[in-house]
Amino acid sequence: MTPGIARYRNILDFTLRAMLRRRGKNLLVLTLFTLVIAVFASILLFTRSLRHEAGLVLKEAPEIVVQRMVAGRHDLISAEHVARIASLPGVRGVAPRLWGYYFDPSANATFTLVVPPDGGIGEGKARIGVGVGRSRKLFRGNTLVMRGYDGREHALEIEALIPEESELVSSDLVIVSERDFRSLFSFPSGRATDLAVTVANPREVGTVAGKIAELLPDTRTVTRDDIIATYQALFDWRSGVMGLIFASALISFALFAWDRATGLSAEERRETGILKAIGWETADILLMKFSEGAVIALISFLGGCILAWLHLHFFWGSLFGAFLKGWSTLYPYFRLAPVIDPYNLAVLFMLTVPPYIAAILIPSWRAASMDPDTVMREQ
Amino acid sequence: MIELLRVSKVFNQGRHNEYAAVREVSAVIATGRVTVIKGPSGSGKTTLLSLAGCMARPTSGRIWLREMRLPAGLGDGREVELSSLPERFLTGIRRGMFGVIFQQFNLIKGISALENVLLPAYPLGGDMAGLRRRGAGLLASLGMERQAASRVEWLSGGEAQRVAIARALINDPQVIMADEPTAHLDTALSREFMETVGRFRDEGRSVVIASHDPIVCGSPYVDSLIEMRDGDLTGQSAPTPPAP
């Protein structure tokens, strides 16, 4: 072993033993630091996961949705409009959509009922989202009973649970046949909830939407860009709130780091003086302090990230979830899948680990740069 | 030898509480001899010891190491002027040439006696197993083998001092510096310490002690006295010639 490596190993060996001597203090710092990182990481993971979910929602959104308006309210649209819109230049396809909401008193939640455009589900059958299954304790093969518009019960056999690529998209879904849907809500035939329009050239979406509005003055068109803007506003607002929480956590961390940076304890100063007097160089002391800071910061960073992941994965972000997800209690409970973003983790690392190590090194460097005699006399 | 030439040390320079701990002191500390810096409390003897032991820089004056084995790359190999050396070299000298025994022993609490002894050797990067053997051997030579694994805060004053002595010896220094080494010892332990000092001298090491303890100053092992009062040198006895 070269003297350089042996020197580092010896100093590291002493550092670890020195840390064990201050077990209580170091554990306190480690716990506090881990919690700060966990809060940071939870917020970052949460934001990332919400954006990821939003991306999945938008992926499925049609380019233009046409809704009929009556007295400024969304109303059912006639299926006859399909042919008129389809005749417009630039329109590739128009599909009537059947969907609606169903409040389930036993689950105290609102489900979204959807009829698949391809009609690929049989009468008396249903495919349900995991949130619906969870809230009603239903599995494949069970029967989902729903109360119709006239109070009569409709029994639907659960054909499958919808795979949970995104719970935000699928959690509350109940997919039923057109006949069941119309029968449940007394939904008039020849009417749809809205129309989904696909456009041949994505750059013509605005123009086509304008033509539809002109052709059918009692409708409104909602483009995917409009949805993106709505989501953006929603997430920006939530990001702002999270930014506030983030800033609070950052300020707490800065105060904590500042407290560390403002000085060494009398005992630490004494030890620094002793080590200098018996022949340790300033660089040796800084190496020791760096190792001490790095051990605490890296363990805290790792621990904080794992805690944040556990918080999101197993506790579904319950500390901020209700507030940040923003859904009412009527929405079936959904689990947000944590999405780990290396860039976010790198930012978090840079915001926390180097400042903490610097906060340890600066006062040590100041103490270690003085003559050992001066350090000893300052006790 | 260590030669101090018109050395002064002023603390809190330029502030209202400025004071000169040592003023224009010129003295010689002979190689292989026992020198005591003697004086009442506040006379500047500890400061002079710190200056001679590279633990502090003089405000003015010069300090020379002559006719000693210097670390590689320093001076011309035979002598070096300390006051102008960068910190890194001063640390190298302090680590390689000097062993220090402090008044309060200044052991690091929470670790064992043996670990305290090894501390000055860590930055040299030696083999750990060999270091531990050497440290244990030094403690055993001072009658401390049973206390090697004990934490230092559990040791008596005399035991703590022996740990401090072993620590001062771990890097095989040419000069042992001791600041008021008998301040916390009873008469028997103080005499025992001076006998240890005599052994150091017999091994060819120089010993410099700052003390006003009559047991130290009047010890037959002492070769030379540097007398201080209020920061001034009030006298220096020539070292007694080595025994034939």
Side-chain angles (χ1 to χ4, degrees):
Chain A
M1 192 182 292
T2 64
I5 295 172
R7 165 182 167 261
Y8 183 72
R9 201 199 64 178
N10 294 346
I11 290 175
L12 188 63
D13 188 57
F14 173 67
T15 304
L16 295 177
R17 275 202 302 273
M19 288 178 75
L20 284 177
R21 286 180 304 145
R22 301 191 189 101
R23 212 172 280 126
K25 184 188 163 195
N26 284 321
L27 268 179
L28 184 71
V29 171
L30 194 76
T31 309
L32 187 61
F33 197 14
T34 302
L35 288 177
V36 168
I37 302 266
V39 170
F40 282 167
S42 287
I43 291 170
L44 287 177
L45 277 177
F46 214 105
T47 317
R48 185 74 188 86
S49 302
L50 276 178
R51 285 183 185 278
H52 176 74
E53 297 280 341
L56 292 173
V57 169
L58 294 176
K59 197 172 75 179
E60 300 299 325
E63 283 158 319
I64 302 172
V65 172
V66 182
Q67 296 175 331
R68 181 166 181 253
M69 304 299 289
V70 173
R73 307 276 298 177
H74 175 200
D75 196 21
L76 304 182
I77 193 163
S78 168
E80 289 170 8
H81 290 329
V82 171
R84 295 179 70 188
I85 295 171
S87 66
L88 287 172
V91 172
R92 191 167 62 188
V94 185
R97 299 198 307 180
L98 286 173
W99 59 271
Y101 297 120
Y102 173 86
F103 177 70
D104 186 76
S106 63
N108 196 27
T110 299
F111 303 152
T112 303
L113 267 70
V114 174
V115 175
D118 57 0
I121 186 163
E123 278 178 41
K125 308 276 184 189
R127 288 199 289 271
I128 60 171
V130 286
V132 176
R134 216 164 23 226
S135 60
R136 291 283 297 264
K137 298 183 176 56
L138 292 172
F139 303 94
R140 187 178 169 197
N142 292 158
T143 303
L144 170 67
V145 178
M146 303 178 91
R147 191 175 289 274
Y149 74 100
D150 52 359
R152 282 192 302 137
E153 290 184 341
H154 291 248
L156 301 168
E157 187 197 333
I158 296 166
E159 191 179 78
L161 288 172
I162 301 165
E164 47 181 318
E165 185 190 5
S166 160
E167 283 207 15
L168 183 57
V169 178
S170 64
S171 180
D172 69 328
L173 280 189
V174 177
I175 296 176
V176 295
S177 69
E178 181 176 345
R179 190 181 172 85
D180 286 328
F181 182 85
R182 291 190 187 276
S183 149
L184 195 63
F185 294 121
S186 183
F187 205 98
S189 61
R191 300 275 172 145
T193 310
D194 52 26
L195 306 177
V197 179
T198 48
V199 176
N201 182 354
R203 281 183 296 184
E204 288 182 349
V205 167
T207 315
V208 171
K211 282 181 186 169
I212 294 171
E214 209 174 297
L215 181 71
L216 305 167
D218 63 338
T219 62
R220 73 169 174 193
T221 53
V222 182
T223 65
R224 191 189 283 169
D225 285 346
D226 293 334
I227 301 172
I228 289 172
T230 308
Y231 269 98
Q232 202 60 51
L234 179 75
F235 284 118
D236 281 352
W237 180 78
R238 296 208 189 293
S239 293
V241 174
M242 281 185 278
L244 274 179
I245 297 173
F246 197 90
S248 310
L250 201 63
I251 290 166
S252 310
F253 175 73
L255 286 173
F256 166 63
W258 175 250
D259 182 53
R260 292 285 305 172
T262 44
L264 300 176
S265 69
E267 184 65 20
E268 284 173 309
R269 288 186 72 81
R270 177 180 171 270
E271 285 187 14
T272 302
I274 293 171
L275 292 173
K276 284 277 290 193
I278 62 176
W280 283 44
E281 283 183 29
T282 302
D284 298 327
I285 289 166
L286 292 184
L287 177 62
M288 179 179 86
K289 291 292 175 186
F290 174 83
S291 308
E292 190 182 311
V295 165
I296 288 188
L298 292 177
I299 292 176
S300 299
F301 184 78
L302 198 64
C305 289
I306 290 171
L307 269 185
W309 191 84
L310 292 176
H311 174 215
L312 252 70
H313 195 263
F314 290 108
F315 301 98
W316 315 293
S318 49
L319 285 181
F320 337 105
F323 177 65
L324 291 176
K325 280 189 274 191
W327 312 111
S328 78
T329 53
L330 297 183
Y331 195 85
Y333 195 69
F334 77 96
R335 294 175 182 179
L336 203 56
V339 178
I340 294 170
D341 180 356
Y343 173 75
N344 276 351
L345 285 183
V347 168
L348 182 61
F349 183 88
M350 294 309 291
L351 276 176
T352 52
V353 173
Y356 179 77
I357 294 177
I360 296 257
L361 281 184
I362 292 165
S364 304
W365 171 74
R366 287 204 314 244
S369 308
M370 287 192 266
D371 283 336
D373 178 68
T374 313
V375 178
M376 307 282 283
R377 279 172 196 275
E378 282 193 357
Q379 293 166 47
Chain B
M1 74 174 109
I2 303 169
E3 187 179 338
L4 299 101
L5 189 65
R6 298 170 64 88
V7 167
S8 296
K9 179 69 179 177
V10 180
F11 288 102
N12 305 323
Q13 206 167 14
R15 292 192 223 157
H16 69 281
N17 54 349
E18 171 180 312
Y19 78 100
V22 169
R23 274 190 293 263
E24 300 272 325
V25 170
S26 296
V28 171
I29 295 165
T31 303
R33 314 311 298 273
V34 177
T35 303
V36 172
I37 305 171
K38 179 188 174 188
S41 186
S43 61
K45 55 186 185 302
T46 298
T47 304
L48 193 64
L49 187 79
S50 294
L51 292 167
C54 300
M55 283 187 279
R57 288 172 185 279
T59 309
S60 63
R62 294 184 160 207
I63 303 169
W64 293 84
L65 297 184
R66 300 187 201 275
E67 299 159 15
M68 297 173 83
R69 295 190 308 278
L70 297 174
L74 265 184
D76 59 3
R78 287 180 295 122
E79 63 177 38
V80 67
E81 202 270 297
L82 294 181
S83 35
S84 59
L85 281 181
E87 148 77 16
R88 191 161 59 87
F89 291 103
L90 279 183
T91 307
I93 291 173
R94 198 159 63 231
R95 184 163 58 203
M97 298 180 67
F98 294 93
V100 187
I101 302 163
F102 300 95
Q103 181 178 358
Q104 308 283 350
F105 312 133
N106 281 341
L107 301 174
I108 291 190
K109 291 177 192 161
I111 56 174
S112 70
L114 178 60
E115 283 162 343
N116 264 281
V117 170
L118 300 181
L119 278 175
Y122 286 154
L124 294 174
D127 158 57
M128 186 58 94
L131 274 180
R132 294 187 85 83
R133 275 197 302 277
R134 178 168 163 69
L138 281 169
L139 282 172
S141 72
L142 294 162
M144 289 283 292
E145 61 269 55
R146 283 199 303 129
Q147 289 87 345
S150 303
R151 286 164 66 146
V152 290
E153 54 268 38
W154 299 341
L155 303 178
S156 69
E159 288 169 337
Q161 191 191 51
R162 276 178 271 171
V163 175
I165 293 170
R167 184 179 66 183
L169 293 172
I170 188 72
N171 287 341
D172 194 20
Q174 296 169 58
V175 184
I176 301 282
M177 300 278 191
D179 183 21
E180 300 280 8
T182 57
H184 302 286
L185 303 182
D186 59 22
T187 304
L189 284 172
S190 298
R191 293 213 163 99
E192 192 182 297
F193 174 76
M194 289 313 291
E195 283 170 20
T196 308
V197 166
R199 284 206 300 278
F200 292 158
R201 186 182 65 178
D202 296 343
E203 290 164 4
R205 302 182 206 273
S206 309
V207 182
V208 189
I209 305 170
S211 176
H212 62 270
D213 183 351
I215 295 175
V216 173
C217 299
S219 166
Y221 299 108
V222 174
D223 300 305
S224 174
L225 280 174
I226 294 172
E227 292 181 57
M228 299 282 295
R229 182 171 282 273
D230 300 328
D232 297 317
L233 179 74
T234 54
Q236 175 167 23
S237 65
T240 52

